[in-house]
Amino acid sequence: MYNLLKGKKGIIFGALDENSIAWKVAERAHEEGAEFVLTNAPIAMRMGGIKDLAAKTGSEIIPADATSMEDLNNLVEKSMEILGGKIDFVLHSIGMSVNVRKGRHYTDSKYDFTAKGWDVSAVSFHKVMNVLYNKQAMNEWGSIVALTYMAAQRVFPDYNDMADNKAYLESIARSFGYFFGRDHKVRVNTISQSPTPTTAGQGVKGFDGFISYAEKMSPLGNATALECADYTISLFSDLTKKVTLQNLFHDGGFSNMGVSDAVMERFTEE
Ligand code: NAI
């Protein structure tokens, strides 16, 4: 380990179970010397093993529904008390579509489902940054990262309305990132991750086909949750101070591929 986050304080959203990308980020951040608060929706606390993660990483848990300004205000205030100062890094690792959960086809969305999924998956990022910005809770040269997927740019039919939510999320990173950079020297980026076998990932219809197709298309193969955590740590570290307003693909090269030999072979078989 490299002590990349020594002395840094953070807030990590979205560790549900040990498959969660946020879980791996928390483990890696701990290894790199950071102190942080873990948070998740109150309902997720009952389902997941976040307490084990807290024990393992010496962190406290503060429940917060990321769509509730009241919860977020409380989270940020308490985190600064617990950590004894301002925040250096924040991970937003939150996604949920009610249309997907209820099996609604994209062409037959139910719009109160659409609105709820958009609030949880995209607007929550704006709300988190609103609270951090207005409370002046971030240290200069701090770093905020949200996780996204390439369906924001290209068509993946089964990704449903999460594609639209991710496009909105990435736009918020740029728009809010401007003000955060200008006023507080804080950087804001999104990491566009390969398909990854987590609870949220496996909720996508046809996920198995999806993940093996991406694996065969990518020259380096799919990026794992742990590799995503490593990349995230680099963005929280002082080694990436001038990287901001970016959507950064972390996908083994998938996003720039047209076709690969491995995929072509499937179509040229007799
Ligand atoms: P996960 O299911 O482990 O994490 C999703 C988290 O969102 C859970 O911890 C859940 O409790 C939390 N959440 C849901 N509603 C919430 C609310 N109202 N308030 C606070 N938290 C809430 O799955 P994963 O894959 O680790 O997801 C993390 C992020 O990575 C998501 O943004 C997801 O879209 C993104 N991502 C995932 C990919 C995949 O294939 N798994 C690929 C690219 C991006």
Side-chain angles (χ1 to χ4, degrees):
M1 301 309 134
Y2 316 93
N3 267 332
L4 282 174
L5 303 186
K6 193 158 190 268
K8 293 197 187 293
K9 304 169 197 303
I11 301 178
I12 299 179
F13 288 80
L16 178 67
D17 57 36
E18 60 189 13
N19 297 319
S20 300
I21 298 169
W23 188 288
K24 309 285 185 208
V25 172
E27 288 181 332
R28 286 292 293 113
H30 178 62
E31 285 169 0
E32 294 296 339
E35 277 177 83
F36 47 83
V37 162
L38 295 168
T39 182
N40 209 326
I43 186 159
M45 303 283 166
R46 274 177 266 141
M47 292 154 52
I50 195 171
K51 288 201 184 81
D52 297 340
L53 180 65
K56 200 172 161 186
T57 58
S59 18
E60 292 205 32
I61 306 168
I62 304 177
D65 176 345
T67 64
S68 157
M69 288 299 282
E70 195 188 331
D71 285 8
L72 292 173
N73 273 299
N74 176 61
L75 167 69
V76 170
E77 274 165 28
K78 290 240 171 78
S79 297
M80 286 197 289
E81 275 170 36
I82 291 167
L83 299 169
K86 292 193 184 191
I87 309 298
D88 300 293
F89 65 88
V90 176
L91 176 70
H92 177 288
S93 184
I94 299 171
M96 192 274 300
S97 158
V98 190
N99 282 307
V100 168
R101 279 206 181 166
K102 305 269 185 193
R104 303 285 296 210
H105 193 263
Y106 184 73
T107 55
D108 186 30
S109 296
K110 199 160 177 278
Y111 294 109
D112 53 345
F113 293 173
T114 307
K116 177 70 187 164
W118 170 73
D119 196 16
V120 170
S121 308
V123 184
S124 65
F125 192 39
H126 197 286
K127 291 177 176 173
V128 167
M129 286 198 280
N130 174 339
V131 172
L132 292 166
Y133 179 93
N134 286 303
K135 286 192 183 299
Q136 304 203 0
M138 294 293 294
N139 275 321
E140 280 198 356
W141 303 109
S143 174
I144 301 174
V145 170
L147 295 176
T148 187
Y149 182 58
M150 206 184 55
Q153 288 83 29
R154 310 263 166 92
V155 177
F156 292 85
D158 290 330
Y159 208 65
N160 210 312
D161 59 348
M162 279 305 288
D164 307 329
N165 294 335
K166 291 303 193 191
Y168 201 96
L169 177 86
E170 291 174 17
S171 181
I172 289 173
R174 288 185 293 270
S175 303
F176 220 127
Y178 167 72
F179 295 106
F180 242 133
R182 187 193 68 181
D183 300 338
H184 301 304
K185 294 194 167 51
V186 168
R187 58 201 188 278
V188 182
N189 297 288
T190 49
I191 295 177
S192 188
Q193 163 68 7
S194 293
T196 314
T198 62
T199 305
Q202 277 156 338
V204 178
K205 197 170 142 237
F207 183 78
D208 291 347
F210 209 47
I211 196 167
S212 41
Y213 172 70
E215 174 74 23
K216 289 213 170 340
M217 276 290 274
S218 314
L220 298 181
N222 289 330
T224 64
L226 181 57
E227 287 162 342
C228 185
D230 284 339
Y231 191 36
T232 308
I233 298 299
S234 77
L235 288 175
F236 289 160
S237 82
D238 289 335
L239 301 178
T240 53
K241 274 182 166 170
K242 291 287 173 76
V243 180
T244 196
L245 313 184
Q246 302 299 314
N247 179 44
L248 302 160
F249 289 101
H250 182 253
D251 62 359
F254 180 87
S255 48
N256 268 348
M257 289 300 294
V259 75
S260 67
D261 293 329
V263 169
M264 279 299 279
E265 267 169 32
R266 295 268 172 143
F267 289 90
T268 47
E269 280 164 9
E270 289 304 310

